[in-house]
Amino acid sequence: MDGLFSQVAVLGSSGVLLCAIVALWRHGIGAYISAFKWQSNVLAALTAAVAYFGHDYDLYWVAALMIAVKGVAIPRLLTRLAHRVGQNRESEPLVNTATSLVISGLLILLAYTAARPLQTLSAAPTRAGIPLAIGLLFVSLFVIVSRKKAITQVIGFLMLENAIALLAVLATYGVPLVVELGVFLDALMGFLVMQIVLYDIHDTFNTLDVDVLNRLKH
Amino acid sequence: MIAAFLLPLFWLMVVGYGITASGLIMPTPRLIRAVTAIGSVVGGAAGLTLACLVLWTDASLTLEAPALLTVAGGWLFHLDRLGALFLALISGVAIPVGIYATSYTASYEGRYSTRWMAFNFGVFLLSMSLVTAAANAITFLLCWELMAISSFFLVVTEHDREESVRAGVWYLAMTHAGLLALLSAFFLLGADGPTAAGWTFAAMRSAAPQLPSSTRNAIFLLALLGFGSKAGMVPFHVWLPRAHPAAPSHVSALMSAVMVKLGIYGLLRIGLDVLGGGPSWWGTLIIILGAASALTGVLYALVADDLKRLLAYSTVENVGLVLLGVGAGFLFLSLSQPEAAMLAMAAALLHVINHAAFKGTLFLSAGSIVHATGTRDMNLLGGLVKRAPWTVATFLVGAMSIAALPPLNGFVSEWLLFQSFLPGVASSRAAIAGLLTLGVGALALTGGLAAATFVKAFGISCLAIPRSNEAAQAHESPRSMRVGMVLMAASCPLLALATIPTLTTITGALATLAGLGGLSGTTPVFHLGVTLRTPNGMATMSPVAIALVLVAALVGTWIVVRVVARRTVRIGDTWGCGRIGQTPRMEYTSTAFAEPLRRVFDQLYRPNEDMAVGVVHPESPYYIQSVTYRTTIHPWFQRVLYDPLVDGVERVAVWTRRLQSGSVNAYLGYIVFVLVLLLVWVIGF
């Protein structure tokens, strides 16, 4: 049973991470949104699996909420946002696709090295997924750093949020439901605030390219 | 019995200053002014009573809240006699200054936020009071920092004037450099303490004798740097002549009379109480820096044209005098002459109290002059004696005190300072004798120049014909300002008459300190009574007798002139010299008054002079139409020490600004970069 659980955990985590890497090699904003949507769904499935194998039934609620908020609501809002600002391509990112993938590989390698003490410390069957979660953390940070459109940076941030949720699920079978609810609310509020700021940026500069924010310096 | 009153009094003090700070949320300007006065008076009165109870009885106050900030040992207050002495000083000055502030701040209404002012004023008073009672490192540093921040906000009250903001930046930079030194000193002192308990002053005190001498020296130097920069010791005084004039006058009075003294308090607390004194070079260093402060302060005060800047430089001078006494105390202690040490320290502390009285008076009167005329430039003042008699009278009392004229209080403490140096001149060790002789020389020169400075300050600003329209239209200040000034000024003669009780209190407080501990009660340090005799029996003086003789002389003169000689009063122009139609242009100016002395010390000032002569016709240089003379003094320590430092900081700042590219990606990249770097570091080690 534990063997299967462990394999499901690794598979799920890999799926979550893969979604982030997919985003790195695609250019369309639509692709980013669907990558995020699928990532959230995979994460929700993994959470449900952990709930089943770990007998932690609160986690079913978390999984359901995850699908509702991150799998449906936020992607829909993102799509609307992308339509409204009328730009659906991440014009040349700061780092090109090939280099991005190499850097992601290196970051995941770093994550494996960094997570070693955590892995030896934990006895949970899900521990093999921990490095993948930390790897996702790095990759999403990298997405934020290397992409120029504000909207892709927001998606990077949401992926970062997913990475933290993933880490929580893998390392401790999730945090208490109340905390989880708080986190969801936070993510949603954070997203809404960012949305407003994005509209503002767009209205002011007529683009979502964060390069133009340089002009604010003087 | 008495101990039961201490805690309520402490809380009453806190509540009082809290009321002052509550000006922040008061709806109307009237209420803000009311809480400023009520809070300061309540807090000051409670603090003064508390301090006196601690000073005059055996009671002492301890208050702890270990649950707040447990990591560092929590908040811990312990008010002992040394702290109580300074608490008495703060509270005593807070009352008149609070009353004075009531109508003084009214002139700020509408232009600047008086709410914010009242809030910071309350916090400033409270944090200063708490510094004196702090008994562990974290409490002390927190209160110290709170004091610095709140006074910074008060300095930059007039935030739209570039001069104020520059002064604020200097103040903030210097006070934080000092804080850095203090933090390091405390870390060195507390480093051996295994638990949070090791951060209390009591633990430091018991651990200090075992510290290696190099650590002790480092702690002393850091403490001297940190506390010296707050006290305005040369060469760390640069902020003081900028910040004190820039602040509103009631705040200048507090900063000058009280806040800089906390630097002296800290030096005594760490150097004498915790470390228990040290090798003789400690005292020597303090004496040299003290002499440098006294001379530099008075020389720059002499040539200042800005009234408040003059007073600020004079504060540097007086801190120098205090440091001379403190340094002599440290020196005598290291030479195992505790009686002489006690005399020097007591003289220094008496001067601390006296300076608070007269400098407070002077700043309040100067504030009243600024209030009445709108200018601080003495070359635009004059003739105030007829227009603002109360202000001028209090200014005169303060000026006479600071010039050390008997029967006022400045005379007593300066006399004592001389007495503490003079016996050492005959010391068998040539180096000590030489040093102390130079100290006496510095004291004498400073005293003389200070007298000249205040003749100028009083004569030019208050007497003669007004030099400008503003001065001609000057008016007396509102009543609450007059009450504040008169209270403050009254303390000058009162302190002189009460010299002996004050000295008893001071020696009582000093005797509790580790370094001077052997002296408590048993040895008669001063032969007290109506006359004051120094421990070595070399000199005797009675402030009361001097006062009586002077009053008798005054009354006698009046009787001779009015009753015996029956002379009537004749009214004529001041310094008329028989001329008719005097104009202000014929008067001595502040610059002109200081000119002879400025020429004598030319090498020190190195002024930039610029004289332009306008002639009627270019062919004949003999018919002069106008002469424009301009002189500026850029202090040399500024040029030598600070200008390169400021340039260096600016260069680094400009270089660092490249980090601020304005690119969001770069900023986020920094975060990721640091994160990755830290992880690699953790893995690597």
Side-chain angles (χ1 to χ4, degrees):
Chain A
M1 196 66 175
D2 262 8
L4 180 63
F5 184 17
S6 172
Q7 283 179 6
V8 167
V10 175
L11 183 69
S13 319
S14 311
V16 175
L17 178 56
L18 195 64
C19 290
I21 293 175
V22 165
L24 273 179
W25 92 68
R26 303 287 302 274
H27 277 201
I29 282 177
Y32 272 82
I33 298 174
S34 61
F36 170 69
K37 185 165 119 188
W38 282 110
Q39 186 183 48
S40 305
N41 289 337
V42 174
L43 180 59
L46 178 63
T47 312
V50 172
Y52 172 74
F53 287 109
H55 310 292
D56 186 344
Y57 300 109
D58 275 354
L59 279 181
Y60 285 122
W61 288 106
V62 176
L65 265 172
M66 218 174 252
I67 289 180
V69 176
K70 289 179 179 167
V72 180
I74 292 184
R76 192 163 290 172
L77 285 170
L78 277 171
T79 317
R80 223 171 61 192
L81 181 68
H83 278 300
R84 165 115 174 242
V85 298
Q87 283 168 340
N88 43 19
R89 284 194 67 76
E90 163 75 34
S91 56
E92 59 204 275
L94 282 177
V95 184
N96 67 31
T97 311
T99 320
S100 294
L101 290 175
V102 172
I103 291 179
S104 307
L106 287 175
L107 284 173
I108 294 166
L109 210 63
L110 175 73
Y112 262 97
T113 333
R116 271 242 298 278
L118 274 177
Q119 261 186 300
T120 50
L121 209 67
S122 166
T126 47
R127 63 179 180 273
I130 293 177
L132 293 166
I134 296 179
L136 175 60
L137 206 118
F138 285 133
V139 172
S140 6
L141 275 175
F142 179 66
V143 169
I144 302 178
V145 172
S146 64
R147 296 307 185 247
K148 278 204 285 196
K149 283 276 182 291
I151 191 162
T152 41
Q153 290 185 334
V154 170
I155 294 174
F157 167 79
L158 291 166
M159 287 180 166
L160 182 70
E161 228 277 317
N162 273 349
I164 294 165
L166 176 64
L167 194 60
V169 166
L170 291 177
T172 62
Y173 292 177
V175 283
L177 189 61
V178 181
V179 179
E180 199 75 71
L181 285 175
V183 171
F184 275 121
L185 202 65
D186 257 8
L188 201 60
M189 287 306 294
F191 175 74
L192 290 175
V193 170
M194 284 182 213
Q195 193 184 11
I196 293 165
V197 173
L198 284 187
Y199 283 137
D200 264 1
I201 294 176
H202 186 254
D203 287 350
T204 313
F205 297 107
N206 211 14
T207 172
L208 277 183
D209 222 339
V210 290
D211 272 359
V212 297
L213 293 186
N214 289 3
R215 284 191 227 150
L216 293 177
K217 193 183 159 195
H218 299 293
Chain B
M1 173 58 201
I2 287 162
F5 288 115
L6 296 182
L7 203 57
L9 278 171
F10 180 83
W11 285 117
L12 185 62
M13 177 181 85
V14 174
V15 169
Y17 294 143
I19 292 174
T20 305
S22 76
L24 187 65
I25 48 167
M26 287 299 149
T28 65
R30 244 185 104 79
L31 271 174
I32 299 173
R33 274 149 53 187
V35 292
T36 306
I38 294 167
S40 312
V41 171
V42 169
L48 193 60
T49 321
L50 171 66
C52 288
L53 285 180
V54 171
L55 281 169
W56 293 336
T57 66
D58 291 329
S60 75
L61 171 82
T62 306
L63 182 72
E64 52 184 332
L68 294 170
L69 279 172
T70 321
V71 191
W75 290 75
L76 179 66
F77 293 106
H78 175 74
L79 188 66
D80 62 2
R81 286 196 179 165
L82 180 67
L85 197 65
F86 282 84
L87 179 61
L89 188 72
I90 297 164
S91 314
V93 177
I95 298 173
V97 170
I99 297 173
Y100 178 90
T102 320
S103 39
Y104 186 74
T105 50
S107 61
Y108 285 81
E109 273 162 20
R111 294 186 297 152
Y112 304 105
S113 167
T114 47
R115 287 200 178 87
W116 184 233
M117 245 168 117
F119 175 73
N120 279 308
F121 189 63
V123 173
F124 185 39
L125 283 171
L126 181 64
S127 53
M128 281 199 296
S129 307
L130 293 184
V131 160
T132 62
N136 67 8
I138 185 73
T139 316
F140 186 88
L141 290 172
L142 275 175
C143 295
W144 189 262
E145 181 59 13
L146 206 58
M147 172 177 99
I149 297 283
S150 52
S151 54
F152 162 76
F153 281 122
L154 289 168
V155 167
V156 295
T157 299
E158 297 176 28
H159 50 78
D160 49 358
R161 292 180 49 215
E162 200 198 331
E163 186 203 343
S164 295
V165 176
R166 280 188 70 82
V169 170
W170 270 98
Y171 176 41
L172 209 57
M174 291 304 289
T175 194
H176 279 114
L179 184 74
L180 203 64
L182 289 188
L183 267 175
S184 321
F186 279 117
F187 272 120
L188 283 177
L189 265 173
D192 290 347
T195 56
W199 295 99
T200 61
F201 287 171
M204 288 177 186
R205 197 175 299 135
S206 55
Q210 285 93 46
L211 288 174
S213 67
S214 58
T215 316
R216 287 169 58 87
N217 289 339
I219 294 169
F220 168 73
L221 285 177
L222 287 167
L224 188 64
L225 177 67
F227 292 124
S229 74
K230 182 60 83 182
M233 179 179 76
V234 166
F236 310 116
H237 68 288
V238 279
W239 61 272
L240 202 148
R242 295 164 200 269
H244 288 207
S249 295
H250 63 295
V251 177
S252 320
L254 267 187
M255 287 176 80
S256 215
V258 184
M259 188 188 76
V260 297
K261 305 301 164 41
L262 289 177
I264 305 291
Y265 165 75
L267 194 60
L268 290 179
R269 177 65 79 196
I270 298 297
L272 204 58
D273 184 24
V274 172
L275 292 175
S280 56
W281 68 263
W282 288 16
T284 310
L285 182 64
I286 302 178
I287 290 181
I288 291 172
L289 290 174
S293 306
L295 287 173
T296 312
V298 78
L299 282 172
Y300 283 95
L302 186 61
V303 293
D305 287 335
D306 178 324
L307 185 56
K308 282 176 77 179
R309 177 174 287 249
L310 180 145
L311 294 178
Y313 269 120
S314 146
T315 300
V316 174
E317 172 225 326
N318 280 282
V319 163
L321 294 181
V322 172
L323 283 173
L324 275 170
V326 171
F330 272 96
L331 184 64
F332 288 131
L333 204 60
S334 68
L335 300 173
S336 327
Q337 300 177 10
E339 281 200 352
M342 180 63 110
L343 172 62
M345 291 278 185
L349 284 185
L350 187 65
H351 197 66
V352 162
I353 293 174
N354 288 341
H355 177 251
F358 52 66
K359 191 49 68 62
T361 311
L362 285 169
F363 261 116
L364 293 188
S365 318
S368 171
I369 292 175
V370 175
H371 186 265
T373 60
T375 178
R376 304 197 303 246
D377 189 347
M378 281 188 277
N379 286 331
L380 299 178
L381 295 173
L384 296 175
V385 67
K386 292 186 188 112
R387 292 165 183 83
W390 286 93
T391 305
V392 170
T394 53
F395 194 86
L396 179 63
V397 170
M400 280 169 68
S401 267
I402 201 166
L405 294 184
L408 295 165
N409 58 352
F411 169 70
V412 186
S413 47
E414 290 205 22
W415 181 83
L416 267 178
L417 278 173
F418 272 108
Q419 293 312 324
S420 59
F421 270 77
L422 283 173
V425 171
S427 167
S428 53
R429 287 170 63 180
I432 306 282
L435 178 73
L436 293 178
T437 311
L438 286 179
V440 171
L443 272 172
L445 183 56
T446 310
L449 290 175
T453 304
F454 280 92
V455 167
K456 167 181 134 172
F458 179 75
I460 301 286
S461 5
C462 301
L463 304 180
I465 314 175
R467 292 176 180 78
S468 67
N469 270 338
E470 289 92 338
Q473 286 154 11
H475 52 86
E476 184 56 279
S477 304
R479 192 168 52 211
S480 69
M481 276 170 75
R482 291 205 301 267
V483 170
M485 286 190 294
V486 169
L487 275 179
M488 204 76 224
S491 68
C492 292
L494 286 180
L495 273 171
L497 293 178
T499 298
I500 286 161
T502 317
L503 266 178
T504 321
T505 313
I506 291 173
T507 47
L510 281 171
T512 56
L513 299 183
L516 298 162
L519 290 170
S520 51
T522 51
T523 330
V525 177
F526 287 101
H527 300 266
L528 299 169
V530 181
T531 57
L532 177 67
R533 185 148 28 111
T534 53
N536 47 26
M538 270 177 69
T540 323
M541 193 257 283
S542 167
V544 180
I546 292 177
L548 286 177
V549 168
L550 282 173
V551 169
L554 217 60
V555 173
T557 315
W558 188 82
I559 290 174
V560 167
V561 172
R562 282 296 178 81
V563 182
V564 180
R566 292 189 175 282
R567 289 279 291 275
T568 48
V569 178
R570 196 157 49 95
I571 294 177
D573 280 339
T574 315
W575 305 111
C577 304
R579 273 193 63 104
I580 304 161
Q582 291 189 78
T583 70
R585 303 257 306 143
M586 296 171 183
E587 286 176 334
Y588 235 163
T589 61
S590 153
T591 317
F593 188 90
E595 181 67 14
L597 282 164
R598 220 196 60 199
R599 289 205 180 274
V600 173
F601 296 102
D602 215 20
Q603 288 303 308
L604 258 168
Y605 295 124
R606 296 179 183 275
N608 300 321
E609 286 177 317
D610 182 18
M611 183 138 79
V613 180
V615 289
V616 179
H617 192 272
E619 290 299 308
S620 70
Y622 301 106
Y623 294 97
I624 293 167
Q625 195 169 39
S626 69
V627 178
T628 313
Y629 176 73
R630 194 188 302 277
T631 173
T632 51
I633 293 172
H634 190 60
W636 62 267
F637 44 81
Q638 182 91 32
R639 209 165 44 227
V640 176
L641 291 176
Y642 287 94
D643 287 352
L645 191 70
V646 172
D647 285 349
V649 169
E650 265 176 13
R651 265 201 298 278
V652 173
V654 167
W655 185 80
T656 329
R657 254 180 51 169
R658 290 189 205 163
L659 278 176
Q660 296 277 8
S661 57
S663 154
V664 178
N665 294 95
Y667 295 150
L668 293 165
Y670 297 149
I671 299 175
V672 178
F673 180 70
V674 171
L675 180 68
V676 169
L677 208 66
L678 285 177
L679 273 174
V680 169
W681 189 43
V682 169
I683 297 162
F685 294 88

